[in-house]
Amino acid sequence: MIALSAAEIASITEGVLVEEAQAGIVLTGSVETDSRLVTPGSVFFALRGEVTDGHLFVDAAVSNGAALIVAERDVETSVPTVVVDDGVVALSRLAAAVVERVRRHGRLKVVGITGSNGKTSTKNMLRAVLSDLAPTVAPQGSFNNHVGAPISMLRIDDDTEYLVVEMGAAGPGEIARLVDIARPDTGVVLKVGLAHAGGFGGIEGTRAAKAEMVTDLPTTGTAILNADDDRVAGMASVTAARVVTFGQSPTADYRASEIEVSATGTTFTFAHGDLRRPVALRILGEHHVMNALAALSVAGEWGLDLDRAATVLEGVARAERWRMELFDAPGGVTVVNDAYNASPDSVAAALKTLAQITPSGHRSVAVLGEMAELGEFARDEHDRIGRLVVRLNIGQLIVVGHAARHIHMAAGLEGSWDGESLLVDTIDEAYDLLHPTLRAGDVVLVKSSKSAGLRFLGDRLAGVSE
């Protein structure tokens, strides 16, 4: 974080500094909400959560070196404390102020990324491209909500030139609040799908929420939209910013064609203006082409060398931990561990990739768990995935957990199968059932929402540890 005094932090957060004698102390360390991540000089925000209360961990934060505590009540501690009415609001105020100060005194450019799928992968690709050129800050993992995104923004300092903000939401208004904090120069919308549909009331509610990324962009800003998704492309009518598009559509400003997928990666031909060049991604899956296009679109609109940007993308080894991670497992088995997140669109894309990369004459295996947060759409969407497994001619399906049972039931109802789909209750049962049957040449996809925990099954099958 940029250097701020305790008094400045109290003023920005509209809080009260308990120890006035400490008003002049200057903070330059990280801002954390997890006491385990605190290092000497950190500012610790004690936030109340659904599971626990950060105020219970103030002593732990101080023991780890916290130099300032921001809390919603006075706490007995040996370091200065700022007491605020609402910790989350205070965190947002601090992030907004820091971003604005760095922007005012430096060369900072900010890009916001949202979409039902692909946010983290696109963020990682763009971070690689921008970091190749100048100091860049982007969130680790999926720090994209009302707490994680501001924490990521507070990582910037006076030397930062590029800030990449991933913006997720579980309900209306959340992306708008993040946009208000970060004030992006460029907003990217990747896709509108049914991820977290339970919180939005359906696909149109999701569309309205994702459109919050571009509705408040200034006329000097740029809205980068997926030309292949009608709901995203239609957002051009609700933004005052200049609109740029990407996709496979021949009318897109940044285009991909001749896409090919194999177990070694994904290739396509990239075109923009007079530039036309092949791109060979090491990242697995046709759906990552759109993420790469989005990253290239930002680079192009910011005046960066697109050929160099494409070369950087070709060197990115994986999208993210547990996202289409490919392993050469013992015994000649290939495991694709994609069980960090799951929505109907991402599961369908992963299954399509499984079918594409399984060599002729060898067996494809899908191990699937629950797609969470679908609300009233859960049964129909799990049913649709089960039928898709059969239509893609996947060789074996193992469904894990009662919440995902409709995948198994739908696969059986689709016909032409006899025992190819099996339903088990636990991860251990799935491992004990599958592992003894694996043979050289099998390709196994493990896919579920994070809450189902199948990412650990994928690691176990692959013979890797965290």
Side-chain angles (χ1 to χ4, degrees), residues 22-252:
Q22 299 290 335
I25 185 175
V26 175
L27 292 308
T28 59
S30 66
V31 176
E32 306 292 353
T33 59
D34 186 335
S35 62
R36 295 168 296 183
L37 301 178
V38 168
T39 57
S42 291
V43 176
F44 177 68
F45 273 72
L47 302 182
R48 291 175 289 110
E50 295 180 1
V51 177
T52 189
D53 186 337
H55 295 79
L56 301 174
F57 300 92
V58 168
D59 288 344
V62 173
S63 295
N64 285 337
L68 179 74
I69 304 297
V70 180
E72 294 179 358
R73 60 176 183 267
D74 196 3
V75 292
E76 290 191 13
T77 182
S78 59
V79 302
T81 302
V82 174
V83 178
V84 298
D85 290 334
D86 186 310
V88 173
V89 172
L91 181 66
S92 298
R93 287 171 177 158
L94 184 60
V98 167
V99 171
E100 179 54 32
R101 289 193 187 191
V102 176
R103 190 196 302 271
R104 188 165 62 242
H105 299 299
R107 298 182 297 276
L108 184 68
K109 284 189 174 182
V110 182
V111 56
I113 301 170
T114 196
S116 297
N117 307 108
K119 295 184 295 296
T120 301
S121 298
T122 303
K123 173 261 298 181
N124 287 341
M125 291 181 180
L126 191 51
R127 173 170 53 198
V129 168
L130 299 176
S131 297
D132 181 56
L133 298 169
T136 299
V137 170
Q140 298 297 322
S142 294
F143 269 41
N144 62 22
N145 64 9
H146 61 294
V147 173
I151 287 290
S152 298
M153 298 178 210
L154 287 165
R155 302 283 192 238
I156 65 175
D157 59 29
D158 290 322
D159 294 325
T160 305
E161 293 192 25
Y162 299 120
L163 171 62
V164 184
V165 185
E166 182 180 340
M167 298 185 182
E174 294 183 12
I175 292 173
R177 285 190 285 274
L178 294 178
V179 168
D180 189 53
I181 297 169
R183 302 284 181 177
D185 303 284
T186 300
V188 179
V189 186
L190 299 166
K191 187 174 181 62
V192 172
L194 281 173
H196 310 293
F200 296 114
I203 194 74
E204 288 307 312
T206 304
R207 180 202 60 76
K210 301 306 180 187
E212 293 170 10
M213 172 60 78
V214 299
T215 51
D216 290 333
L217 287 178
T219 54
T220 55
T222 304
I224 297 180
L225 306 177
N226 181 350
D228 298 347
D229 184 321
D230 290 342
R231 291 185 174 90
V232 176
M235 295 176 191
S237 65
V238 299
T239 184
R242 186 171 61 90
V243 173
V244 173
T245 58
F246 65 93
Q248 296 183 57
S249 167
T251 63

Side-chain angles (χ1 to χ4, degrees), residues 319-355:
E320 179 78 15
R321 182 74 166 105
W322 297 308
R323 287 177 170 87
M324 295 302 286
E325 269 196 298
L326 187 142
F327 297 99
D328 293 323
V333 175
T334 299
V335 174
V336 180
N337 193 350
D338 191 29
Y340 189 85
N341 264 326
S343 68
D345 288 334
S346 71
V347 175
L351 287 169
K352 181 179 179 182
T353 300
L354 173 63

